[in-house]
């Protein structure tokens, strides 16, 4: 399967999974992020805004999933996820075939619950 076809397939799988987890329809956040639900954040500086509670971007190079590392208790699950790389806020996956979908579902559920039930101050300042 060519990369673009594989990426589209993975995006459809994630949309279905996230609709089921969140009960929310997909919404575009900017030109490339497909998000579900939303949360309000406020930084110590006073800056505030709204963002997708959970979301992903089916980029050409990798599938990017946002917010999986923030919920308390996510670290042990990330260790079981499979093959991925990460940054502070993102998990980068080549294809969903590289990860355990049950673990991904659990991480997405945790992230959605975290972002929709917590009073989010500054995400970067919450990182250890």
């Amino acid at each position: 399967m060519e990369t673009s076809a594989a990426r589209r397939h993975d995006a459809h799988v994630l949309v279905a999974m996230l609709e089921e987890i969140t009960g929310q329809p997909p919404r575009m956040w900017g030109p490339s992020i497909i998000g579900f639900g939303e949360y309000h954040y406020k930084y110590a500086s006073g800056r505030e805004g709204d963002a997708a509670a959970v979301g992903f971007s089916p980029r050409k190079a990798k599938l990017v999933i946002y917010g999986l590392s923030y919920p308390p208790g996510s670290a042990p699950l990330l260790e079981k996820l499979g093959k991925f790389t990460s940054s502070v806020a993102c998990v980068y996956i080549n294809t969903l075939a590289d990860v355990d979908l049950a673990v991904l579902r659990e991480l997405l559920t945790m992230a959605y619950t975290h972002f929709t039930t917590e009073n989010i101050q500054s995400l970067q300042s919450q990182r250890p």
Side-chain angles (χ1 to χ4, degrees):
M1 189 179 329
E2 73 175 70
T3 302
S4 59
R7 190 72 68 236
R8 278 192 302 277
H9 174 266
D10 286 352
H12 288 292
V13 169
L14 275 175
V15 165
M17 184 184 295
L18 285 164
E19 283 179 324
E20 183 180 319
I21 289 168
T22 67
Q24 301 289 319
R27 174 179 162 202
M28 292 303 297
W29 290 80
S32 64
I33 297 174
I34 301 166
F36 297 80
E38 66 181 80
Y39 72 96
H40 187 78
Y41 62 87
K42 186 172 185 176
Y43 291 91
S45 66
R47 180 174 176 237
E48 57 186 290
D50 297 304
V54 290
F56 71 96
S57 182
R59 296 186 183 165
K60 184 175 183 179
K62 303 259 185 182
L63 184 63
V64 183
I65 304 175
Y66 300 96
L68 297 184
S69 60
Y70 287 112
S74 63
L77 284 172
L78 284 166
E79 290 177 12
K80 298 177 186 177
L81 182 59
K83 184 179 172 183
F84 71 94
T85 57
S86 63
S87 66
V88 173
C90 305
V91 166
Y92 303 91
I93 299 170
N94 286 327
T95 177
L96 289 180
D98 291 340
V99 299
D100 182 323
L101 291 181
V103 172
L104 179 59
R105 176 182 292 277
E106 192 170 348
L107 283 163
L108 288 166
T109 301
M110 286 175 68
Y112 182 74
T113 300
H114 174 72
F115 286 111
T116 58
T117 61
E118 297 295 322
N119 180 15
I120 306 299
Q121 298 299 315
S122 168
L123 292 179
Q124 271 62 28
S125 68
Q126 290 180 21
R127 299 294 297 159

